[in-house]
Amino acid sequence: MRKIIVLSMITLDGVIQAPGGPKEDTSGGFKYGGWTATFSDEVYGKTVQKELAQQTDFLLGRKTFSIWADYWPQHGDFWPRINEGNKYVFSKNMKKTDKLVTGWKNSAIIKSVADIKKLKSSKGPDFQVWGSSKLIQLLLKNDLVDELHLKIHPITLGKGKKLFDNGTIPAAFRLTESIVTKTGVIIAIYKRAGKVQTGNAGA
């Protein structure tokens, strides 16, 4: 069974929209694109490079796929795997003949949760999910996320696309790795760990 790994740069209030630059995603009138810019340091950079070097395939939402399809084919020297790996864009409206799909090698469209489950059961490397807030919420709703790789930034934005939103099921995760950067970013890896356990605190 292939794992689905969600990698997110996230604020304290759960926003994941447009971490990389002002023009990355301005939908909904979002004005804080590039909010991660002041938090980079050596530890942060090494973590990102390790993630980019992993031999994975990719599950992407339509918005993220569209942004990336315009950029990464011309910048593969920085992240070779994004062009070499298989990319599956979740969209009910895009077509196989769409220019973005045909123009970016190793790209295909999936349209349902059943398609995702079929991919998960197939042979191959694990999947990374970047950005793609609506897709992540669909995955969480259907208990398809195996790991969360989070970079939690000491900042709140109030508005923007969230990592967790309506539909997220109750689920337990286990912290397996963590480190705090000099700029205060908590880098943490959580793995799915069964059902939520309840009881009396302190009992």
Side-chain angles (χ1 to χ4, degrees):
M1 183 74 72
R2 305 165 75 177
K3 293 188 295 185
I4 294 179
I5 302 169
V6 170
L7 302 96
S8 289
M9 301 172 185
I10 183 171
T11 66
L12 291 176
D13 57 340
V15 175
I16 63 172
Q17 186 171 350
K23 297 181 180 180
E24 183 179 355
D25 181 5
T26 58
S27 60
F30 190 69
K31 300 179 181 179
Y32 299 102
W35 50 267
T36 64
T38 62
F39 294 101
S40 182
D41 69 1
E42 185 177 359
V43 172
Y44 197 114
K46 286 183 177 180
T47 299
V48 172
Q49 287 301 317
K50 182 179 178 181
E51 292 168 343
L52 300 186
Q54 293 174 357
Q55 297 299 303
T56 64
D57 286 341
F58 303 89
L59 294 176
L60 301 170
R62 182 197 58 77
K63 181 73 173 182
T64 298
F65 181 87
S66 297
I67 294 170
W68 285 17
D70 282 335
Y71 181 84
W72 285 114
Q74 290 78 41
H75 298 84
D77 54 333
F78 181 79
W79 190 7
R81 186 61 190 175
I82 192 59
N83 290 321
E84 297 167 359
N86 294 312
K87 295 164 285 291
Y88 300 92
V89 53
F90 187 89
S91 175
K92 296 181 179 180
N93 298 317
M94 293 182 73
K95 299 179 180 179
K96 293 181 180 179
T97 55
D98 192 291
K99 185 177 179 181
L100 288 175
V101 178
T102 59
W104 197 8
K105 66 179 182 178
N106 304 324
S107 297
I109 298 172
I110 53 175
K111 294 182 177 292
S112 67
V113 171
D115 288 339
I116 298 173
K117 290 181 178 180
K118 185 176 180 180
L119 283 173
K120 202 173 188 303
S121 299
S122 66
K123 293 183 179 181
D126 294 334
F127 295 98
Q128 287 185 350
V129 184
W130 295 76
S132 309
S133 59
K134 289 184 179 180
L135 173 60
I136 291 173
Q137 289 157 22
L138 180 69
L139 295 171
L140 290 168
K141 181 179 180 180
N142 289 276
D143 198 13
L144 291 171
V145 175
D146 297 287
E147 297 183 14
L148 293 166
H149 293 204
L150 306 182
K151 299 177 186 67
I152 306 166
H153 295 67
I155 186 174
T156 59
L157 296 178
K159 296 182 178 180
K161 296 176 181 177
K162 300 291 184 71
L163 178 63
F164 303 106
D165 211 333
N166 295 331
T168 299
I169 65 167
F173 286 83
R174 175 171 54 91
L175 179 67
T176 60
E177 294 181 41
S178 66
I179 191 170
V180 181
T181 72
K182 291 180 180 180
T183 60
V185 177
I186 300 172
I187 300 175
I189 295 179
Y190 298 92
K191 294 186 178 181
R192 187 70 172 86
K195 297 181 178 179
V196 173
Q197 303 295 321
T198 63
N200 294 315

